[in-house]
Amino acid sequence: GTGSNILSALQDLFWLLKSKVEKQLQIISVLQWVLTFLIMGIACTLILMYILCTDCWAIAALYLAWLVFDWNTPKKGGRRSQWVRNWAIWRYFRDYFPIRLVKTHNLLTTRNYIFGYHPHGIMGLGAFCNFSTEATGVGQKFPGIRPYLATLAGNFRMPILRDYLMSGGICPVNRDSIDYILSKNGSGNAIIIVVGGAAESLNCTPGKNSVTLKNRKGFVKLALRHGADLVPVYSFGENEVYKQVIFEEGSWGRWVQKKFQKHIGFAPCIFHGRGLFSSNTWGLLPYSKPITTVVGEPITIPKIDNPSQKDVDFYHSIYVDSLIKLFDKYKSKFGLPESEVLEVN
């Protein structure tokens, strides 16, 4: 009896230690991504400039020569790595929140797609985990479909960061890149565009479900020009992982944010999550709130080389209606009351 009690106690201790280790690995995995998002590009640029001024300058010079040679690769579908997309660190990243991907319809590999991802949130954590890694099984749920998460083109001018992003299947959100993927890369491609962009991130806050979409029609025009089907995607919980200071329209803070957005492409947000060692302190770590990304039904789009504004408006209205229906269908399943309404701005 004593031996079995000791064995049982050791087993309990083992599982307790394993649980603590896994939690720490989850925190580390999320922290590295947050730091990548915030400072990796600037840090790598400064390090490269420093190396050029040392005895190891040849290493930096070789990389810069490679950078010039490889400059247009992001515009041509990038250079994804299944090895990187399958890193174990992304599974710890997924389990921290946790993040889940829900498939509602099959996607044909004979078609190309533009996924409209909503909402942006502060960092688009659900978009990254679901479509730039295999942590939630996007490759198994949509076999034969190659996802490309589109992000700011400026990120691909940053040394090292550009290669890191491309390894996950991330591409610039500009016309050249999207045109190439949808016209010269065969079929079975899915470009994920966070439609609301920086403007939407300025209004994200816990408890609020709103999207910036009414005047965002460029992605619809691209879909028509290439005959790529539109797929609405909504991430329940994306706005819950950070708290943000919201500046009112007309305030000095909102003026500064809009100036940054106009001239640089992103808007600086004042936000916070939890601390590294305690969820009761402020820090850069997001709160561990569930994020559930639901991929809706594809909208069949005809190929029109020069779509009129009437064509764009028509399919845009269909897309907005589909997104609202998707939200209404799944909101109660993921913790929202039936009375919750998706605000479309």
Side-chain angles (χ1 to χ4, degrees):
T2 303
S4 63
N5 289 337
I6 294 174
L7 180 60
S8 178
L10 288 174
Q11 288 176 335
D12 291 342
L13 179 61
F14 170 77
W15 289 113
L16 179 62
L17 291 174
K18 182 180 179 182
S19 176
K20 287 185 175 180
V21 169
E22 287 185 348
K23 188 61 180 177
Q24 293 305 312
L25 289 173
Q26 291 170 11
I27 290 173
I28 291 170
S29 68
V30 175
L31 180 62
Q32 68 83 28
W33 166 245
V34 171
L35 294 177
T36 296
F37 183 91
L38 294 176
I39 66 171
M40 182 177 179
I42 295 173
C44 289
T45 302
L46 293 175
I47 291 171
L48 197 67
M49 292 173 62
Y50 171 76
I51 294 175
L52 279 172
C53 300
T54 68
D55 293 339
C56 299
W57 64 268
I59 297 174
L62 284 173
Y63 178 80
L64 289 173
W66 160 252
L67 192 63
V68 173
F69 175 78
D70 195 55
W71 190 253
N72 289 322
T73 298
K75 298 179 183 178
K76 297 180 179 179
R79 187 170 47 247
R80 75 175 54 222
S81 166
Q82 286 302 116
W83 175 64
V84 173
R85 288 175 61 88
N86 282 287
W87 277 354
I89 195 172
W90 305 132
R91 295 193 290 276
Y92 290 112
F93 183 98
R94 172 200 65 197
D95 294 339
Y96 173 84
F97 297 92
I99 296 174
R100 179 186 172 201
L101 180 66
V102 176
K103 170 186 174 180
T104 63
H105 291 79
N106 292 323
L107 298 181
L108 300 175
T109 58
T110 55
R111 301 284 294 174
N112 283 324
Y113 302 91
I114 293 179
F115 286 18
Y117 184 92
H118 313 269
H120 183 286
I122 295 292
M123 297 185 184
L125 293 164
F128 169 77
C129 185
N130 284 307
F131 301 112
S132 294
T133 79
E134 292 296 330
T136 57
V138 64
Q140 289 73 43
K141 291 176 180 177
F142 300 103
I145 302 297
R146 293 181 297 275
Y148 293 87
L149 177 60
T151 189
L152 290 175
N155 290 324
F156 296 89
R157 302 187 186 103
M158 301 285 190
I160 311 299
L161 175 63
R162 67 188 292 277
D163 302 289
Y164 188 42
L165 295 178
M166 283 194 293
S167 67
I170 301 177
C171 69
V173 62
N174 58 32
R175 182 169 173 175
D176 289 343
S177 177
I178 294 172
D179 282 347
Y180 183 91
I181 293 170
L182 295 180
S183 63
K184 299 179 181 179
N185 201 40
S187 60
N189 302 292
I191 297 179
I192 297 87
I193 299 177
V194 186
V195 178
E200 191 172 84
S201 69
L202 297 179
N203 295 314
C204 71
T205 187
K208 186 175 182 179
N209 287 283
S210 66
V211 296
T212 302
L213 183 56
K214 280 184 179 178
N215 297 316
R216 299 296 176 105
K217 300 181 180 181
F219 72 106
V220 178
K221 190 172 184 178
L222 281 170
L224 286 165
R225 288 180 61 245
H226 294 283
D229 293 349
L230 289 171
V231 182
V233 179
Y234 196 86
S235 253
F236 295 90
E238 184 73 62
N239 285 346
E240 307 299 316
V241 296
Y242 279 111
K243 295 178 181 178
Q244 180 183 188
V245 176
I246 304 293
F247 293 102
E248 296 295 331
E249 289 293 338
S251 66
W252 68 269
R254 183 54 64 101
W255 180 84
V256 170
Q257 289 176 324
K258 287 187 173 181
K259 287 296 182 182
F260 265 84
Q261 179 188 339
K262 180 180 179 180
H263 297 293
I264 301 179
F266 73 92
C269 302
I270 299 177
F271 65 92
H272 74 85
R274 53 156 290 182
L276 183 60
F277 302 107
S278 172
S279 59
N280 296 320
T281 58
W282 288 10
L284 289 176
L285 276 177
Y287 293 104
S288 52
K289 303 287 187 179
I291 298 175
T292 305
T293 303
V294 183
V295 180
E297 182 178 3
I299 303 165
T300 302
I301 302 295
K303 188 177 186 302
I304 304 175
D305 291 333
N306 294 296
S308 65
Q309 189 60 49
K310 185 178 179 180
D311 294 325
V312 174
D313 290 343
F314 175 73
Y315 285 101
H316 181 267
S317 66
I318 293 176
Y319 177 86
V320 173
D321 289 342
S322 296
L323 178 64
I324 293 173
K325 288 178 181 176
L326 179 71
F327 178 85
D328 289 340
K329 182 177 180 179
Y330 289 94
K331 60 186 178 183
S332 61
K333 294 181 181 179
F334 303 119
L336 297 178
E338 282 291 345
S339 58
E340 185 72 18
V341 175
L342 179 62
E343 181 183 331
V344 180
N345 299 314

